[in-house]
Amino acid sequence: MGASANTMTDTATAVFRINGTLQGPVVDILGQFLPELKALPRDQAYDRTLDDLGLLTRCFEIFRRERARFRYVVVDERRRPVTEDNVPLSCGRTLSEVIAMVVRTAAKRYFRRAILPAAKPEPVQAPPRSEADELYDAIKAYLLHEWQVPLVPAYAEMAPALVRRVGAKLLDAREPEALARLIADPDAPVMRPEVAVGTAGMAPPPMLAVAPMATQPTVSSSPVDPRTASLDEILSPDHMRLRTEAFNQVLLDPEVRAALPNADQIVKIGDVLRGVGGIPAATLVEGLGLRKDQLAVMLMIAHDSIGSTVFGRLFGLRADPELVSRIVDRARIRGLGPGSDVLDCAIFMRGVFARFGHRSRRD
């Protein structure tokens, strides 16, 4: 009991000293390079930074680039400058541990802002933990590095069960595209950048192998089925994105409206479709022979299931066509094509992204 109490006291003391240093001299030094930080009231600067992932990312970048400026702050117990991340500081913690503490705090705050609590009946006993706290509990062991700060919004789209399933592979997904790939296929290996460079020219593993695609979507000269949407009609003149006007009529179809989430939110539907890139749209249409109504339903169900952040990675202007190709392959196995009912398309897409638990409907 005494040892446990001493440990708690040591931890509280370390956190107190760390926060005091971050709120004081660290913020002062960073303010010399970041006017937006210097403009904040000094007693609010640290908290405001934790609530602004972009500003926090810039702070970490300045710290790494201007490490020498912090030589009188980042010191050991004998007040000597510490230049390695794994050396204990005067507070008793290493720099790596301090960074992890900051990243976790910022992530927890973001989760609590972004993940709205679901409406539940009045609890008879103590209220359950919030979805935000459940997600934080699942992921906190993997929140260790400053490069994860820009990925926090994508982490917020994940269900706790998905986090537990991918586990430490989260630490291999250092880029947004790699994280989107992992979320779309949790069982696939994550190719880290340094590994990818060393294996250039090698064939991808069988589960990742897809047909090569051109950098621009191509137009099929003779669609397999006359009902298949024409890319010239649904894409912008440069074939870079969807034309929302092309879907005006199909969005009024009762069957389509019945399959769409929030079918009355026409403006939001238009915004979502407008953000879809030409390559993923062409991959879906040409790979499955989709009609316009099928394409619209599949895209809107995907957006409703995975949220704006991940949706943009999978279906946006700079989407990875390999991920969409995997969806096409799975749809072919299910027998989806131009003759399929829009409800079947909706059910299929829900199944593809079921692991997200529809939490992203908040956005």
Side-chain angles (χ1 to χ4, degrees), residues 227 229-230 233-234 246-247 250 290-297:
R227 293 168 292 184
S230 165
E233 179 187 357
I234 66 172
F247 296 87
V250 298
L290 294 182
R291 309 186 307 262
K292 285 192 294 184
D293 56 343
Q294 295 172 318
L295 178 62
V297 167

Side-chain angles (χ1 to χ4, degrees), residues 222-233:
S222 55
V224 175
D225 191 285
R227 293 168 292 184
T228 297
S230 165
L231 295 185
D232 280 336
E233 179 187 357

